[in-house]
Amino acid sequence: WGGPVIDIHAHTRDVNGNAAHCDGAGISHAILLTRANQWDNAKAAQAAHPGRFYISASVTLTDPKAADILTQAVKDGAIAFGELKNPVQADGPELQRLYALAAELDVPIMVHFQEYPNSPKGVFFANGIKNLPKMLEKFPKTKFVAHANSVWGNITAVNDVNTDYPTGKIVPGGLTDKMLGDYANLFADLSANSGQNALSRDPEFTTGFIQRHQDKLLYGSDCPCRDGRGQGRDTGRLIG
């Protein structure tokens, strides 16, 4: 890598699973996306590997106690909210209350945007990314980290987002490119097949995209392999 690498999208594993993955991939530090029932695993990883792991707290968005749970998590050491992945609207009340809370507590908030109809069986997460600019304007002090299929499907101006992993040349002027340029409080998570697909489908476009937004693009893996080198699937990877 040529220097330290922070993985901002590492799902919590068992006590040594995250370290094994990081070692194999050459990653120096990682942010563990952690639900309440995974808190002990994340804390154990921090204790076993001091200074290497940080916690981002996740929650079910429809839980009426979601804001209280996340507030307590920050008091207990979490440095961010996310990954927030539930079938709600991107500008719905469930996420808006947490956009506001993230600003109040001064932590970033990572949201998984994957909207119908590009999901199997009509499943969606934070549906309506076209409404995200309104949220960026309404919550200017909130640091948004946008992740997943709808973010990267909208890297192009052509309407090809009705598939999880669109291919072909990118037409400049896509929503994601425009939002990153227009809003100082938006960042993008490069992780997963969605990020990799977006950056590899049109290398000529990607060069300029990275140059324009290099300070707003965050490396993440979102990787389930066991050894950090693509071998096996880590059954200790806790994503529920």
Side-chain angles (χ1 to χ4, degrees):
W1 289 91
V5 176
I6 300 172
D7 182 353
I8 70 153
H9 199 123
H11 285 279
T12 305
R13 308 178 187 223
D14 59 28
V15 63
N16 292 313
N18 286 103
H21 188 270
C22 287
D23 289 344
I27 292 168
S28 57
H29 302 81
I31 298 176
L32 307 182
L33 310 186
T34 306
R35 287 185 174 273
N37 64 344
Q38 304 163 354
W39 196 261
D40 290 345
N41 294 77
K43 283 293 188 180
Q46 287 184 318
H49 308 278
R52 189 171 198 183
F53 297 113
Y54 301 85
I55 295 175
S56 179
S58 183
V59 70
T60 300
L61 293 172
T62 53
D63 186 337
K65 296 182 179 179
D68 293 337
I69 293 170
L70 291 177
T71 298
Q72 186 59 51
V74 171
K75 291 179 180 179
D76 291 339
I79 65 167
F81 295 167
E83 166 189 18
L84 300 180
K85 183 180 179 181
N86 291 115
V88 298
Q89 297 300 310
D91 60 345
E94 301 90 351
L95 274 169
Q96 286 206 42
R97 63 176 174 163
L98 298 188
Y99 297 154
L101 182 63
E104 179 184 335
L105 298 178
D106 193 24
V107 296
I109 179 169
M110 178 194 290
V111 179
H112 181 116
F113 295 93
Q114 184 175 357
E115 58 193 38
Y116 180 82
N118 73 329
S119 299
K121 298 180 181 179
V123 174
F124 63 85
F125 306 103
N127 194 47
I129 195 170
K130 66 181 181 181
N131 296 320
L132 183 56
K134 296 178 183 178
M135 298 296 96
L136 295 166
E137 294 172 3
K138 183 173 181 178
F139 302 99
K141 294 183 179 180
T142 302
K143 294 181 282 287
F144 292 76
V145 180
H147 161 65
N149 306 66
S150 293
V151 175
W152 296 113
N154 279 286
I155 198 172
T156 178
V158 172
N159 183 21
D160 62 359
V161 296
N162 290 339
T163 178
D164 278 338
Y165 307 112
T167 59
K169 297 287 287 185
I170 291 172
V171 177
L175 175 63
T176 296
D177 197 0
K178 189 173 188 304
M179 288 192 299
L180 286 168
D182 289 348
Y183 298 101
N185 56 333
L186 178 66
F187 301 83
D189 171 8
L190 294 170
S191 71
N193 290 336
S194 54
Q196 189 276 338
N197 180 73
L199 296 185
S200 63
R201 59 183 282 195
D202 186 350
E204 184 178 0
F205 174 88
T206 297
T207 299
F209 179 80
I210 291 175
Q211 289 173 340
R212 286 193 297 280
H213 306 304
Q214 60 183 307
D215 294 336
K216 306 186 80 180
L217 302 176
L218 308 175
Y219 171 75
S221 66
D222 197 8
C223 176
C225 87
R226 184 176 62 252
D227 64 353
R229 295 178 179 272
Q231 298 300 310
R233 188 174 181 89
D234 192 339
T235 57
R237 182 172 181 260
L238 307 175
I239 60 175

